[in-house]
Amino acid sequence: MELFIAQILTGLANASSLFLVACGLSLIFGVTRIVNFAHGSLYMIGAYTGYTLMQVLPGAIGFWAAIALSGVVVGIVGVLIEILVLRPVYKAPELFQLVATFGVILVIQDVALLLFGPEDLLGPRAPGLRGVVRIMGEPVPKYDIALLVITPIVALVLWYLMTKTRVGVLVRAATQDREMVGALGVNQAWLFTGVFALGSALAGLGGALQLPKGGADLLMDFNILAPVFVVVVIGGMGSLPGAYLAAIIISVLNVFGVTYLPQSTLVLMFVVMIVVLMFRPYGLFGREEVAGEHGQVGEPERPIKPASFRVRLVTSIMLLALAFLPLLGSTYLLVFLTDILIFCLFAASLHFLLGTGGLVSFGHAAYFGGGAYVAALLITYSDTPMELTFVLAPIGAGLVALVIGWLCLRLTGVYFAMLTLAFAQLVWSLVFQWGTVTGGDDGLVNIWPAVWLKPTVIYFYFALIFSVCGILLMRHVQHSPFGYALRAARDSQRQAEATGIDTRRIQLIAFGFAGFMGGIAGALFVFSKGSVFPNELEIARSFDALIVVFLGGVKTLAGGVVGAGFFKGLEETLLRFEYWRLLMGLLIIFIVIAAPEGIVGSLRKVGEHLGLKKAKDQ
Amino acid sequence: MTQSVLETRNLSKSFGAIKAVDDVSFALQKGELLALIGPNGAGKSTCFNMLMGQLKETSGQVFLHGEKITGLLPRQIWRKGVGRTFQITATYSSMTVIENVQMALLSHHREIMRFLPYATRRHHPEALDLLDMVHMADQADRHCAVLAYGDLKRMELAIALAHNPSVLLMDEPTAGMAPKERVALMQLTAQIVDNFGVSVLFTEHDMDVVFGNAHRIMVLNRGSLIAEGSAEDIRNNPLVQDVYLGGGSVFGADEEVLDA
Ligand SMILES: Nc1ncnc2c1ncn2[C@@H]1O[C@H](COP(=O)(O)OP(=O)(O)O)[C@@H](O)[C@H]1O
Ligand SMILES: [Mg+2]
């Protein structure tokens, strides 16, 4: 019993940072409808800023002042991000906003590295709160007690701000109905900026407050993202009480998990989320999202056409050229090209879902990594011939996709996107924590192809054939009645359902198919590298694919492939610089703002402008 | 008595305390062009959405050729031969005009689950015939996102006719159109009724559009049917006059209301 109480107290104390970060995210989403993926980065800046300030400000007063100042500093950073990056993309589809905030993540990672160095920093203890107090004989850190007091106070202040002040009333009004606020004569732009500042400041506070319990390192931005998303999804997007309750549930559960089920703490969190969503799809306190017809913001997508003779000719020539590249005799080049081919297939599979299906999946790495792991597990634990694993791995990935898709397709829009991400994280945490089977962080090694496939040249041709056939197959499906039905479901679910099309079933099959194709890429990957690690399932891998699709152009058929080739080439070039993330991040932000049509879309526009191609409506 | 094509019995729908549709019973006969009119908020769209399976009724039943269809999904009802157009157009904005129609044909011929190209070549002549019926054949290959609103409406009509329906439901088919276009669209609809024997139920808040073409008119007010009969009957019905005049909308007033 005593231990039980002590653990609950620890859980409540741990909830503190989680709540602050989550409610910041929730607040920003409620008003601006932007899911700020860079929120973890703001949390990280808060931690580093707090640490730095604590070094110069002395004593207990200095400590607490440092925490408060961190909030202020991060708030200002938030204002800068909002004005420079987000303002231009408020009206853009969710994907654009995601990609923009992902650019911010990359920039902040390198800026943090530049300013604070690569070492993990151990957080300083709070002056005057170093020891423990005994509660019913159990030791509880004094700092935990402080957090137990602080969090409800912050929550109350926020509650007061939201319910009793004019600003709060406006913010809540904006959460309900954004047009109305405009009608009230409030400058909407500055309201957004203000809310973004407040949300950012909360993240910064969260980062600084957890210093004595944790510290500051360069991975905390991604590490906090999954729990925060889980909290926000469980609590309901835009709901502060929801965020509070969910943060407590997750934190307390986590503490008990560490004690009783140490192998599954991460998994537990996602299981709770799934259970909640089964009964309350919009979270405990969330309201139903009224989804418009899918993401058709901006210019509507153009009709697709079977490739013209010219396009086929050019593509064939390029493929032929690719096939002759081994003659150059560079092993390095071949390995690099194989990487690109695999990545193209992976990106194309996401593009199929996202472009044709309008299904913004944020967790596509689950199928790529999933395929890779299925193959690796089969090789490691059974004597499955390699040839057979190339069949079974995609099937495994496809099945995972079907299950995840079935659960996620109950929701739409942002909720759908966050759920796909959360499920991908579930897969990741399963692999990460089930070390006895999956090797955990050490991954699975010695996964080599059969002897006939070992030579780099042969593997290159193998990957070439699989990728090209896979991509062509997806293109064919896009032109098939099924592909049209998928687009119909995206363009107008209402009309599609009213003309006999079971849109959810279509989307589910598309989900499974895209997962299957991603699984092929994963299998190709694992045999080309000889090993697989959990980072193939990570958020960052999903984001790579999203960015690629985006760079290439969502509303074009070739977008995924072109973007992948471009991205890999760029990465290869930029990786030579120490601060390549910074450059990449800035480039991404630039493209989001300046060329939102992507490479293929922009080229098409330029072509039309020059009169090389026929304009869209002859 | 001959069996009616579509029939409702005591159909009701409440949203909380609001009785949007209150005990509505009527029957649509074969080859009939039946109008359901009433001021805005009378419950016309709600009634339609129940007929189409989009909304679950609070009580009452709907019968299609004597078979109960209440509780079925929109796509199931469509398969049974009921077509519809929407008050606010719902089209596949990334497709050409003819592809929009072909989509419905693909579904009708149960070819959605085919994974080989090219969808755009399937049922092409049939789709062209449908477009011809609504005088849109010359625009078949245009991107539907660039069409004028009136053309979109006609395209929707072609889509609704794709599976050769026995019943066509049209919710405010002329909403958002210019007055001249409205009359033209209703005449087109009347022609289709004559030529193909399809039965049409449509709603409208503008009475002028109705009087010219409808075979029979029902008036809905605050969820209840208050009158039914020929154009002449309705025009002279004091109760109806009261609803329209007293309700603020003047007879034949050409105001435009775009409610959902
Ligand atoms: N989803 C809904 N929730 C609550 N009330 C609704 C809903 N849909 C319609 N109503 C109400 O039902 C009544 C009838 O609406 P509607 O059927 O749209 O009328 P009409 O199409 O005749 O203009 C109105 O009072 C409207 O406010
Ligand atoms: Mg209506």
Side-chain angles (χ1 to χ4, degrees):
Chain A
M1 184 63 203
E2 290 77 15
L3 184 64
F4 186 79
I5 302 269
Q7 280 182 327
I8 288 207
L9 289 180
T10 313
L12 287 174
N14 289 351
S16 174
S17 290
L18 196 53
F19 162 68
L20 288 174
V21 182
C23 81
L25 185 74
S26 205
L27 202 64
I28 291 173
F29 172 79
V31 175
T32 65
R33 296 284 130 175
I34 283 192
V35 180
N36 179 25
F37 275 76
H39 216 65
S41 306
L42 295 169
Y43 167 75
M44 181 172 77
I45 300 180
Y48 275 113
T49 311
Y51 182 89
T52 312
L53 289 172
M54 282 168 198
Q55 305 302 309
V56 286
L57 300 176
I61 295 185
F63 176 85
W64 295 107
I67 290 181
L69 278 176
S70 305
V72 175
V73 169
V74 177
I76 293 170
V77 173
V79 169
L80 289 178
I81 295 175
E82 200 272 346
I83 292 180
L84 295 177
V85 181
L86 296 180
R87 273 200 189 177
V89 297
Y90 273 129
K91 295 220 156 57
E94 288 130 33
L95 178 66
F96 286 54
Q97 299 162 353
L98 158 83
V99 173
T101 55
F102 188 69
V104 173
I105 293 181
L106 291 177
V107 170
I108 290 180
Q109 270 179 349
D110 264 3
V111 171
L113 176 65
L114 206 67
L115 292 179
F116 305 108
E119 291 85 27
D120 291 0
L121 303 177
L122 195 63
R125 294 301 180 83
L129 295 171
R130 278 172 223 261
V132 296
V133 286
R134 301 231 158 235
I135 292 181
M136 300 197 296
E138 290 292 327
V140 177
K142 282 188 192 158
Y143 190 67
D144 278 9
I145 306 287
L147 288 180
L148 283 180
V149 179
I150 291 170
T151 316
I153 292 177
V154 175
L156 274 178
V157 169
L158 273 180
W159 175 80
Y160 182 84
L161 194 69
M162 286 301 142
T163 50
K164 303 287 175 202
T165 64
R166 181 177 144 74
V167 174
V169 171
L170 284 175
V171 168
R172 279 190 303 140
T175 309
Q176 312 271 326
D177 182 354
R178 282 189 282 174
E179 275 67 42
M180 196 182 87
V181 179
L184 286 176
V186 176
N187 186 329
Q188 189 178 322
W190 287 107
L191 182 69
F192 279 23
T193 310
V195 166
F196 207 88
L198 178 61
S200 306
L202 288 169
L205 274 183
L209 261 183
Q210 60 80 47
L211 275 172
K213 292 171 75 76
D217 60 69
L218 289 170
L219 295 177
M220 31 188 321
D221 52 350
F222 274 133
N223 287 344
I224 190 87
L225 217 48
V228 164
F229 275 14
V230 168
V231 163
V232 172
V233 166
I234 290 182
M237 294 290 280
S239 159
L240 293 187
Y244 193 52
L245 185 62
I248 288 176
I249 293 176
I250 291 301
S251 300
V252 171
L253 203 76
N254 202 32
V255 171
F256 282 103
V258 168
T259 314
Y260 301 108
L261 293 162
Q263 293 309 308
S264 54
T265 43
L266 290 169
V267 181
L268 210 58
M269 173 170 87
F270 294 108
V271 171
V272 173
M273 182 187 77
I274 295 168
V275 171
V276 169
L277 290 179
M278 291 305 251
F279 296 100
R280 293 194 61 93
Y282 295 92
L284 295 174
F285 292 85
R287 285 178 310 128
E288 183 167 351
E289 267 300 90
V290 193
E293 303 277 2
H294 267 289
Q296 290 292 326
V297 188
E299 212 177 296
E301 186 177 318
R302 309 197 185 160
I304 57 175
K305 291 192 196 84
S308 65
F309 177 71
R310 218 168 59 180
V311 171
R312 283 173 203 219
L313 193 70
V314 171
T315 314
S316 309
I317 291 172
M318 287 196 327
L319 284 177
L320 214 62
L322 259 182
F324 278 109
L325 276 177
L327 292 179
L328 292 177
S330 158
T331 311
Y332 166 78
L333 182 68
L334 283 188
V335 171
F336 177 53
L337 284 176
T338 308
D339 280 359
I340 293 190
L341 287 170
I342 294 171
F343 194 59
C344 282
L345 180 60
F346 175 41
S349 72
L350 175 64
H351 187 261
F352 179 82
L353 259 193
L354 216 135
T356 307
L359 300 168
V360 184
S361 162
F362 280 3
H364 211 57
Y367 320 118
F368 177 75
Y373 264 97
V374 171
L377 288 170
L378 284 171
I379 295 288
T380 309
Y381 292 102
S382 68
D383 286 327
T384 318
M386 179 209 74
E387 291 80 1
L388 186 60
T389 55
F390 266 105
V391 179
L392 294 179
I395 291 179
L399 288 178
V400 172
L402 279 180
V403 172
I404 294 180
W406 187 78
L407 287 162
C408 294
L409 281 169
R410 295 147 47 95
L411 303 178
T412 52
V414 179
Y415 280 83
F416 173 82
M418 305 240 316
L419 256 194
T420 52
L421 183 130
F423 277 106
Q425 283 304 99
L426 170 64
V427 175
W428 170 82
S429 57
L430 272 173
V431 168
F432 188 77
Q433 291 204 310
W434 201 5
T436 47
V437 175
T438 61
D441 211 13
D442 299 329
L444 293 167
V445 292
N446 281 327
I447 318 293
W448 295 110
V451 179
W452 65 270
L453 200 54
K454 274 226 170 101
T456 314
V457 181
I458 309 279
Y459 204 86
F460 166 76
Y461 281 119
F462 189 72
L464 181 69
I465 290 170
F466 264 83
S467 298
V468 171
C469 288
I471 291 164
L472 286 181
L473 174 66
M474 282 189 271
R475 228 189 131 91
H476 273 74
V477 173
Q478 279 163 331
H479 282 288
S480 75
F482 176 81
Y484 268 65
L486 187 59
R487 271 194 315 141
R490 174 199 69 188
D491 284 354
S492 175
Q493 188 159 27
R494 203 157 43 114
Q495 178 70 268
E497 284 283 340
T499 46
I501 300 173
D502 186 344
T503 53
R504 259 197 70 186
R505 187 157 140 238
I506 298 277
Q507 289 173 335
L508 184 59
I509 293 171
F511 216 91
F513 177 63
F516 180 89
M517 300 309 284
I520 297 182
L524 284 172
F525 172 84
V526 70
F527 286 108
S528 79
K529 298 291 173 214
S531 58
V532 61
F533 302 96
N535 60 345
E536 296 313 323
L537 292 158
E538 260 173 20
I539 300 183
R541 188 65 69 248
S542 298
F543 282 17
D544 278 355
L546 277 169
I547 286 169
V548 158
V549 170
F550 178 82
L551 282 180
V554 182
K555 295 179 177 181
T556 59
L557 282 186
V561 177
V562 174
F566 178 77
F567 180 83
K568 276 283 174 191
L570 190 73
E571 200 180 48
E572 187 69 10
T573 319
L574 288 182
L575 274 176
R576 298 184 189 156
F577 300 96
E578 191 178 353
Y579 295 102
W580 68 273
R581 284 194 193 85
L582 183 65
L583 296 174
M584 184 70 122
L586 289 175
L587 183 77
I588 288 171
I589 294 171
F590 172 78
I591 290 186
V592 170
I593 295 172
E597 316 243 299
I599 299 170
V600 180
S602 300
L603 284 179
R604 186 164 65 185
K605 275 243 158 120
V606 172
E608 279 170 9
H609 199 72
L610 298 175
L612 296 176
K613 262 189 112 195
K614 280 181 280 180
K616 60 178 171 180
D617 191 49
Q618 56 276 43
Chain B
M1 184 189 128
T2 56
Q3 191 184 59
S4 51
V5 178
L6 186 75
E7 187 183 345
T8 71
R9 286 190 206 144
N10 312 103
L11 201 58
S12 300
K13 175 76 193 178
S14 311
F15 295 109
I18 306 171
K19 277 208 150 181
V21 172
D22 189 6
D23 201 22
V24 166
S25 305
F26 64 84
L28 173 68
Q29 305 303 331
K30 181 154 171 51
E32 190 177 29
L33 185 57
L34 176 60
L36 178 65
I37 66 170
N40 272 299
K44 305 181 297 289
S45 291
T46 306
C47 200
F48 254 65
N49 288 336
M50 286 190 286
L51 295 180
M52 234 5 235
Q54 229 111 19
L55 255 182
K56 201 184 153 11
E57 71 292 334
T58 307
S59 63
Q61 292 105 32
V62 182
F63 295 89
L64 181 69
H65 304 294
E67 179 194 354
K68 188 166 160 242
I69 58 165
T70 20
L72 296 185
L73 293 169
R75 59 171 183 267
Q76 294 169 321
I77 294 176
W78 182 82
R79 289 247 175 253
K80 292 190 178 293
V82 181
R84 81 165 289 180
T85 63
F86 293 91
Q87 181 170 351
I88 296 170
T89 51
T91 56
Y92 308 133
S93 59
S94 72
M95 298 186 195
T96 62
V97 171
I98 194 157
E99 283 170 349
N100 266 272
V101 180
Q102 282 169 302
M103 205 59 244
L105 287 168
L106 285 167
S107 177
H108 177 50
H109 292 281
R110 297 185 182 272
E111 292 176 354
I112 293 300
M113 284 301 158
R114 291 195 182 196
F115 292 83
L116 290 177
Y118 286 95
T120 186
R121 292 181 192 157
R122 298 201 73 83
H123 310 296
H124 198 276
E126 213 180 323
L128 212 53
D129 285 348
L130 283 162
L131 284 176
D132 198 34
M133 212 188 287
V134 297
H135 314 306
M136 287 280 295
D138 52 333
Q139 305 201 52
D141 291 321
R142 292 188 76 192
H143 183 186
C144 87
V146 302
L147 289 188
Y149 193 72
D151 292 342
L152 272 185
K153 286 267 177 190
R154 283 191 287 154
M155 179 183 89
E156 256 202 335
L157 185 55
I159 295 174
L161 292 168
H163 66 317
N164 205 3
S166 55
V167 180
L168 192 55
L169 304 174
M170 302 169 80
D171 194 7
E172 304 230 3
T174 67
M177 296 173 101
K180 224 173 80 190
E181 279 184 320
R182 295 178 170 204
V183 177
L185 186 77
M186 278 331 296
Q187 274 167 356
L188 180 64
T189 311
Q191 239 172 39
I192 289 168
V193 169
D194 283 346
N195 293 348
F196 301 93
V198 55
S199 320
V200 176
L201 173 68
F202 71 102
T203 70
E204 188 53 69
H205 69 267
D206 174 2
M207 296 187 111
D208 276 355
V209 178
V210 174
F211 287 143
N213 298 293
H215 302 158
R216 189 157 60 95
I217 300 170
M218 302 181 295
V219 185
L220 197 66
N221 187 39
R222 295 192 193 169
S224 306
L225 282 181
I226 56 168
E228 192 220 299
S230 68
E232 200 57 32
D233 298 339
I234 296 297
R235 219 193 285 269
N236 299 326
N237 186 317
L239 210 55
V240 177
Q241 283 180 356
D242 193 43
V243 163
Y244 269 73
L245 291 170
S249 347
V250 183
F251 253 102
D254 213 12
E255 57 169 345
E256 200 44 67
V257 190
L258 275 173
D259 66 327

